[in-house]
Amino acid sequence: MIIGMKTRLERSPRRSRAPMQGTRLETAALVLPSLIPVLVLSVAPLIWGISLAFTDATFLQKGLPNFVGVENFEVLADYSLFWRSFGVGILWGVVVTAGQFLLGLSLALLLNTNLRLRGLARLLALLPWAMPPVVIAIIWQMIYSPTRGPLNWLLGQVGLPSDINWLGDFTWALPAVIVVGIWAGMPQNTVTLLAGLQQIPKELIEAAEIDGAGAMRRFVSVTLPSLRPIIVSITSLSFIWNFNSFGLVYVLTQGGPGTSTMLPMLFTYVEAFKSRDIALAAAMGDVIMLVIIVLLSGYLWAQFRERRQS
């Protein structure tokens, strides 16, 4: 009997591994059908796009492109217009992200109070979120219209210059586009920060009030520290999304006048589909992707550090 029990114990690991192997095969069989479209539609185009930067591919070329090494990156290093678009992209990303955060935080604080018609106020605050970027751009083109737009009409009513070509003037185009970018991205910040405000324990606020802390003191010492993880997340991700913007600015100005609103992604599109230099555009895309990977790595590292500290 003892020998029989020993035999069963020795055989038990083999019996336990067999179902596990079967489970792994079943899992792989279930995942594979959904993995194939990802590989075909995402990974393969990504590899193809990266590899084009090392060729002389153009739209008009017949046959397979030739391998040219890092020649396109050498051209890109001296391409001042591309690096200028990088400067515009960084300025756009910083200002739009800061504006979206400040406006979103202000609205979140307002909507977190016992405001009358709070439901209507929330609906109005979230309205831009329901609009596609193209619709937002068309609405603001009408607002900015130099001849029939309501903005110039209002300026004229208060005695200010009312003939400004907001989207066509080299000085005013970028500020005008930045205002649209802030308005379009504000709802996402508002919703996220409002959710964070409602997670702060009321006992914490009441304890600060009992200690004699005023509204500003409570905001600085209680509210902002409680929102710090959310603030880090939304500002980091918003900057990455804004730096990588395309559709909104393309419909508003197409990067003009001149290159005053030419963001990096927009300049890459122009190089690929108007100049028809696919290889150089692919090199631009590779550089932009590398910058975004670095930014995302910094964000993930900050998240990892935050979790370890908590």
Side-chain angles (χ1 to χ4, degrees), residues 20-38:
M20 188 177 294
Q21 288 174 353
T23 305
R24 288 176 180 172
L25 289 174
E26 291 172 0
T27 305
L30 291 172
V31 171
L32 193 58
S34 58
L35 190 61
I36 291 175
V38 174

Side-chain angles (χ1 to χ4, degrees), residues 14-75:
R14 294 181 183 176
R15 289 178 180 175
S16 62
R17 278 200 299 270
M20 188 177 294
Q21 288 174 353
T23 305
R24 288 176 180 172
L25 289 174
E26 291 172 0
T27 305
L30 291 172
V31 171
L32 193 58
S34 58
L35 190 61
I36 291 175
V38 174
L39 292 174
V40 173
L41 299 176
S42 298
V43 178
L46 176 65
I47 296 173
W48 182 70
I50 293 173
S51 62
L52 278 179
F54 300 93
T55 67
D56 60 352
T58 64
F59 262 125
L60 303 178
Q61 189 177 38
K62 296 181 180 179
L64 294 175
N66 300 309
F67 179 76
V68 297
V70 295
E71 185 179 311
N72 288 311
F73 292 96
E74 291 175 353
V75 173

Side-chain angles (χ1 to χ4, degrees), residues 118-290:
R118 188 168 55 179
L120 179 62
R122 287 184 179 182
L123 176 64
L124 293 175
L126 298 179
L127 191 59
W129 208 357
M131 296 183 182
V134 174
V135 176
I136 292 175
I138 292 173
I139 291 174
W140 280 91
Q141 278 180 332
M142 296 169 64
I143 294 174
Y144 283 143
S145 173
T147 55
R148 294 175 292 178
L151 181 58
N152 274 347
W153 178 82
L154 286 173
L155 292 176
Q157 296 302 308
V158 296
L160 295 174
S162 59
D163 57 347
I164 301 175
N165 187 1
W166 294 97
L167 298 176
D169 187 275
F170 195 87
T171 304
W172 290 107
L174 185 58
V177 172
I178 284 175
V179 169
V180 182
I182 292 173
W183 186 79
M186 169 268 297
Q188 189 171 2
N189 285 255
T190 303
V191 171
T192 309
L193 290 167
L194 182 59
L197 286 172
Q198 293 180 347
Q199 295 299 319
I200 299 175
K202 292 183 179 178
E203 294 80 8
L204 204 60
I205 305 292
E206 292 171 355
E209 289 178 350
I210 294 172
D211 290 341
M216 182 56 71
R217 183 66 177 173
R218 293 197 301 274
F219 176 73
V220 173
S221 301
V222 178
T223 305
L224 280 182
S226 301
L227 293 177
R228 191 167 68 91
I230 297 176
I231 293 173
V232 172
S233 294
I234 63 173
T235 51
S236 303
L237 293 177
S238 293
F239 177 79
I240 294 171
W241 289 330
N242 289 323
F243 179 77
N244 208 24
S245 294
F246 175 79
L248 185 66
V249 179
Y250 177 76
V251 178
L252 280 170
T253 64
Q254 297 189 5
T259 57
S260 60
T261 60
M262 189 70 77
L263 302 181
M265 285 300 295
L266 193 52
F267 194 77
T268 303
Y269 167 80
V270 170
E271 196 66 35
F273 296 101
K274 292 189 177 179
S275 300
R276 299 184 176 182
D277 193 341
I278 296 292
L280 188 59
M284 294 177 180
D286 290 353
V287 172
I288 295 170
M289 183 180 66
L290 185 62

